[in-house]
Amino acid sequence: MTVYGNFPGSRPRRLRTTPAMRRMVAETRLDPANLILPAFVREGIDAPVAISTMPGVQQHTLDTLRKAAVEAVSAGVSGIMLFGVPADEKKDARGTAGTDPAGILQAGLRAVREEVGDGLVVMSDLCLDEYTDHGHCGVLTADGRIDNDATLERYAEMAQVQADAGAHVVGPSGMMDGQVGVVRDALDQTGHEDVSILAYTVKYASAFYGPFREAVGSSLRGDRKTYQQDPANARESLRELALDLEEGADMVMVKPAGPYLDVLAKVADSVDVPVAAYQISGEYAMIEAAAEKGWIDRDAAIMESLTGIRRAGAQMILTYWATEVAQRLGRR
């Protein structure tokens, strides 16, 4: 036998021989505490509505949202990120349903806090897109462009009503310049100094958002390329990161997760604040669809995808499988 290098003395396979050995030497560990459940609560329904493009995910009533929150707590999930789905007739150009204290997202926040208290970190999506009749994340100018600074005024209002409704964490996701600083000021000036900001620091104009549009009943016309990031760019993400940290972000997020693991790793290596990644609807739908066809092992693919995100540096992962995976991890 020809000997190459340190072989046969060096045999990495020795550390792969049994499940117990592989578990003992694993460099990356996935724990229920790493997981956050995104959830949709819809106005005007008396039973949950299945989302056809996201098998297994539904738009909740307030009652089923409460049950989902309890189930997540029982499984050991750390957080829940809420998205509101208002009635179509309540949408308008300024997204006023999003700042209505009685609006569906605020009702969902109150319901979850009443049900589980501090047992989950209750997070709220801070954006206008679900509430505008044009589907964009901000206020439009007369010629149809996003008015960045006018939108910031609306975000300040949203931050206050979401915090009043019980959010532990707000997640400004519209990718408006200056959004974190404006939200921080609004929270501090209204007695919500303890409410944290999870900044959507890196949010790409991705093709993988498609199923989410159904989930929130999006009215989007056009695209979001003038404010979400170009998928071709990576260095730009570090500039966004520096700005968000300077403005007071407590945590930062990369979205989507899977297609941007390189960016996630760069961000994680650059900061001393917690880093999140959002495994978005298209990532979820691809695995579910391929598994339904029998082309992949569903459970193994889910765990591999989440482990990859964790390995790239995410301490927190928003995933629609959060409760399922946490239950599975708890049975190990």
Side-chain angles (χ1 to χ4, degrees), residues 277-305:
Y278 197 149
Q279 186 182 53
I280 65 169
S281 60
E283 298 175 73
Y284 175 94
M286 286 192 300
I287 290 177
E288 290 287 352
E292 190 275 331
K293 291 283 189 181
W295 294 341
I296 60 173
D297 180 324
R298 176 185 180 275
D299 291 355
I302 290 170
M303 298 305 290
E304 184 175 339
S305 67

Side-chain angles (χ1 to χ4, degrees), residues 170-325:
V170 296
S173 62
M175 292 301 288
M176 296 297 121
D177 294 339
Q179 64 184 14
V180 173
V182 165
V183 167
R184 184 72 269 160
D185 285 346
L187 291 170
D188 291 350
Q189 290 171 16
T190 55
H192 295 299
E193 296 90 349
D194 290 338
V195 173
S196 301
I197 296 177
L198 171 57
Y200 283 62
T201 292
V202 181
K203 186 177 181 182
Y204 283 95
S206 172
F208 293 97
Y209 296 133
F212 181 87
R213 306 271 161 83
E214 178 191 350
V216 296
S218 175
S219 302
L220 181 64
R221 299 191 294 270
D223 58 51
R224 296 175 175 146
K225 294 180 180 178
T226 64
Y227 47 105
Q228 293 178 353
Q229 287 178 240
D230 185 341
N233 294 348
R235 288 194 303 271
E236 179 182 36
S237 300
L238 298 181
R239 184 183 185 199
E240 293 278 4
L241 174 64
L243 291 169
D244 282 356
L245 292 174
E246 183 179 354
E247 291 173 27
D250 299 290
M251 301 170 278
V252 297
M253 185 194 295
V254 174
K255 179 180 181 181
Y260 299 96
L261 294 181
D262 60 323
V263 175
L264 173 58
K266 288 178 184 290
V267 169
D269 286 345
S270 302
V271 299
D272 56 5
V273 300
V275 176
Y278 197 149
Q279 186 182 53
I280 65 169
S281 60
E283 298 175 73
Y284 175 94
M286 286 192 300
I287 290 177
E288 290 287 352
E292 190 275 331
K293 291 283 189 181
W295 294 341
I296 60 173
D297 180 324
R298 176 185 180 275
D299 291 355
I302 290 170
M303 298 305 290
E304 184 175 339
S305 67
L306 292 171
T307 300
I309 296 166
R310 181 86 175 92
R311 187 185 64 243
Q315 294 165 259
M316 304 167 291
I317 304 173
L318 286 81
T319 175
Y320 299 99
W321 291 302
T323 301
E324 175 188 340
V325 168

